[in-house]
Amino acid sequence: MAASFAPPPTDGKPAVLEWTPPEATKLDLDWVNLHTIELSLLDSPDPQVVSDLVQLTKTAIKEDGFLYLTNYGVSLDQMQRQFDLAQYLHRNISEDDKERLLWDPKSGLFAGWKRRVGWKREAGEFDGIEQFNFYRQEFEDLEDRLPDCIKPFMDEITAFCEYLTNSVNRRLLVLLSRALELHDDYLWNHVQSHGGPVGDGYFRHALFYPLLGDDKDRRKGVRMYGHTDYGITTLLFSVPVTALHIWSRDKRWQPVKYNPGALVVNIGEALEIISGGQFKATLHKVTDTPTDQEHCERLSLVLFNASVGDMRLAPAVESPLLQREGFVQEQGIFKQYKRLIDAGVPVPTNRQWREIQISTNQQIAPEKRPGGIREIDGVKYAADRFLGVDVLLPV
Ligand SMILES: O=C(O)CCC(=O)C(=O)O
Ligand SMILES: [Fe+2]
């Protein structure tokens, strides 16, 4: 049985205001119908239950690339505390710390403080998104790389990330390895980066301020443009303010419904490549909120799990699933990597791949991207090219 999360005590620490979740939207939206994976069932003594769970996981990642994960070992109260801490960081970080810890995406990492004015170190147009991003270095240098206000709580944030990485993500990777019919620790041992609470990935405290008036018009309803995450898996805590949309199997943008306590998990590009396209790195974007949430702040906690930096990804051809069913080259990154592999051209290493995307920053309006907008089968795509790899993202 996997142990549940056991956070460090809170006594003796500064008082932290409770985060009040905004009310969920009352609008009846075109919700995407995601499958739910109950992670605790992996421990079931009944082999049929476990094999049904693997089958359901396979269906979810082949069909949607997104799923809800429940019963993963963190209680609602424990999750609430992490939202309290994220809100506390955003309310209490000093202007000096914002300056001192200002991020520099040109470095290839999003580490530190993002202001509400775009995705570069230099101030750009208002986008209303503030973030603090904790990479391995933030966990290692508790003195110099953190806002002073959050220092008393780092034991809790560290323990939380350790649990998410070493228990939740590890168990999820067991399920995904089994879906590929490989041994339980295949993805954990070969693809997941290790070291510290987040490996080469990062933990994010994001706060989306309301976007109103001219700012709203200018951004045409989009907060974060359509993209796939480059890592292995992304664990997003389901939040009451609706904004996350996925490019669904019906080839349209559909919102993800609030599921209190659940993790919304998406498959990153690394898994799409390893699985020879059997798993889908699904496109998603963050949009304006529904009209009844227009004035709500959206707090969002995310763990991005990253792959081993020096590795050049290729499909796991030892997978019996791949041997039986072959590659799936319908979409996206695997198709592009396969073209390079077939041509004998080395694909980028995982580190090169993530750093080029962060440093050249994809959050550029589609019409301003180098390749502009292309229409294929009636769908408009923004075209980009990184390190010889074409990237097409629906607008
Ligand atoms: O905040 C969210 O719901 C999603 C954010 C996201 O897609 C990302 O940061 O990659
Ligand atoms: Fe994302």
Side-chain angles (χ1 to χ4, degrees), residues 74-128:
V74 175
S75 71
L76 281 174
D77 282 353
Q78 292 166 342
M79 197 189 86
Q80 165 79 35
R81 172 72 176 171
Q82 295 292 326
F83 274 81
D84 296 348
L85 294 178
Q87 174 177 261
Y88 184 90
L89 184 152
H90 280 276
R91 295 266 180 276
N92 292 286
I93 181 171
S94 67
E95 293 306 313
D96 279 356
D97 279 356
K98 288 181 185 175
E99 199 56 45
R100 178 174 68 86
L101 301 166
L102 184 62
W103 74 354
D104 186 9
K106 279 214 185 82
S107 69
L109 301 181
F110 282 135
W113 179 251
K114 175 197 182 301
R115 298 183 287 186
R116 9 183 145 174
V117 283
W119 288 77
K120 295 186 175 165
R121 184 176 172 86
E122 304 74 34
E125 283 180 338
F126 180 87
D127 63 11

Side-chain angles (χ1 to χ4, degrees), residues 227 229 266 284 304:
H227 64 279
D229 295 354
N266 81 66
H284 54 283
F304 296 91

Side-chain angles (χ1 to χ4, degrees), residues 297-341:
E297 288 181 1
R298 179 175 186 268
L299 192 60
S300 166
L301 271 61
V302 192
L303 178 71
F304 296 91
N305 293 296
S307 49
V308 176
D310 294 334
M311 184 180 188
R312 291 180 202 274
L313 283 174
V317 287
E318 62 271 49
S319 154
L321 175 77
L322 269 187
Q323 288 171 7
R324 225 177 31 251
E325 296 187 10
F327 299 138
V328 178
Q329 293 190 66
E330 267 169 28
Q331 60 138 31
I333 192 67
F334 173 61
K335 188 170 166 182
Q336 301 302 332
Y337 264 52
K338 176 96 176 23
R339 275 203 346 215
L340 297 186
I341 294 168

